[in-house]
């Protein structure tokens, strides 16, 4: 119930919502796992706090860089880097966590972003609901906004979407006009996957 109240109060705040503030919102709930602070984290997280303080969806009385808030900032920062497609080994080294921690954060974020979307629906916050839906997909796959179309294809996840992008297939139309022989040349895209995604885009 407390998570629901925190989300309700945050989502009803008048300022424009953005990815970082929504990530901080879910990190601010008791149902989210937050990252522990190390001594070397403080300077970076203080900078992160001051860069985003005006847009955090918390009350003015809470807008103080306490250890709890900085831990939430660290968690939101990791999620931002995850959806910007920072390599997993870079994230584990920079934030001092393991791959299993990233998986746990992704799973919890998926659930909490879905819940926030349902709360937005109750209050008629259509734009926020739409943003939360997009963020949920980006967190699930760990992708930039530009790759959303490609992960809508069955069999295409974070790595394959990036490889398609790097090979010049930036929108579904690019895949539609491509030859299977060319798609097969892309790393991690074998003949079966190439034929499958061609069939998918041609049926759309």
């Amino acid at each position: 119930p407390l998570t629901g109240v925190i989300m309700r109060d945050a989502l009803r705040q008048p300022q424009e919502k953005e990815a970082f503030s929504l990530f901080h919102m879910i990190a601010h709930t008791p149902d989210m796992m937050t990252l522990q602070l190390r001594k070397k984290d403080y300077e970076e997280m203080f900078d992160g706090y001051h860069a985003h303080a005006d847009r955090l969806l918390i009350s003015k009385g809470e807008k103080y860089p306490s250890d709890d808030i900085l831990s939430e900032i660290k968690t939101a920062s990791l999620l931002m880097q995850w959806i910007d497609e920072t390599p997993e080994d870079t994230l584990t080294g920079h934030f001092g966590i393991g791959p299993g921690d990233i998986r746990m954060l992704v799973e919890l974020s998926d659930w909490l972003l879905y819940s926030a979307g349902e709360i937005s629906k109750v209050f008629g916050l259509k734009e926020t609901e739409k943003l939360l839906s997009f963020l949920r997909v980006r967190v699930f796959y760990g992708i930039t906004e530009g790759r959303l179309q490609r992960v809508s294809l069955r069999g295409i996840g974070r790595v394959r979407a990036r490889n398609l992008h790097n090979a010049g297939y930036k929108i579904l139309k690019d895949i539609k006009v491509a030859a299977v022989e060319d798609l097969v040349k892309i790393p991690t895209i074998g003949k079966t996957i190439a034929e499958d995604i061609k069939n998918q885009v041609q049926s759309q």
Side-chain angles (χ1 to χ4, degrees):
L2 179 56
T3 289
V5 170
I6 290 171
M7 288 182 175
R8 177 201 65 189
D9 293 346
L11 295 169
R12 294 174 73 181
Q13 291 203 29
Q15 65 260 47
E16 184 177 353
K17 310 303 184 295
E18 58 183 28
F20 190 92
S21 62
L22 291 170
F23 286 152
H24 179 264
M25 174 191 73
I26 63 174
H28 194 58
T29 69
D31 286 299
M32 184 61 167
M33 177 183 82
T34 53
L35 302 180
Q36 292 186 347
L37 294 172
R38 302 165 299 177
K39 287 183 179 180
K40 63 181 182 179
D41 291 327
Y42 277 89
E43 183 176 355
E44 180 183 348
M45 297 313 143
F46 271 120
D47 289 343
Y49 168 80
H50 290 296
H52 297 281
D54 291 341
R55 297 183 294 279
L56 297 181
L57 304 174
I58 55 179
S59 66
K60 290 183 179 179
E62 293 180 282
K63 289 187 178 180
Y64 178 80
S66 63
D67 280 3
D68 286 342
I69 293 294
L70 293 179
S71 177
E72 295 161 8
I73 293 291
K74 182 177 179 179
T75 305
S77 298
L78 181 142
L79 290 171
M80 285 298 298
Q81 291 192 35
W82 171 251
I83 65 171
D84 283 338
E85 300 191 20
T86 301
E88 189 173 289
D89 56 350
T90 301
L91 292 176
T92 56
H94 183 74
F95 289 95
I97 58 174
D101 296 318
I102 295 177
R103 281 289 110 206
M104 178 65 74
L105 284 169
V106 167
E107 290 176 9
L108 287 171
S109 298
D110 178 61
W111 170 53
L112 290 168
L113 290 169
Y114 167 77
S115 302
E118 292 298 296
I119 292 173
S120 296
K121 191 183 300 183
V122 169
F123 291 101
L125 305 170
K126 293 183 178 179
E127 289 302 313
T128 301
E129 181 189 350
K130 183 178 179 181
L131 175 57
L132 285 162
S133 179
F134 280 134
L135 276 181
R136 189 180 173 208
V137 176
R138 291 182 64 190
V139 168
F140 185 83
Y141 289 103
I143 55 169
T144 61
E145 187 173 356
R147 303 199 210 281
L148 282 173
Q149 270 196 332
R150 287 182 293 286
V151 297
S152 67
L153 296 172
R154 183 180 59 253
I156 300 299
R158 189 187 203 211
V159 175
R160 286 176 177 153
R162 185 190 304 121
N163 290 342
L164 283 165
H165 179 88
N166 292 342
Y169 300 96
K170 302 184 186 302
I171 58 176
L172 296 186
K173 184 178 178 181
D174 295 334
I175 298 172
K176 193 171 187 177
V177 300
V180 170
E181 293 76 14
D182 292 328
L183 293 174
V184 170
K185 297 175 184 176
I186 301 169
T188 70
I189 306 290
K191 186 177 181 181
T192 300
I193 293 293
E195 291 176 343
D196 186 38
I197 61 176
K198 280 284 291 182
N199 290 333
Q200 290 181 63
V201 297
Q202 285 170 351
S203 66
Q204 293 181 8

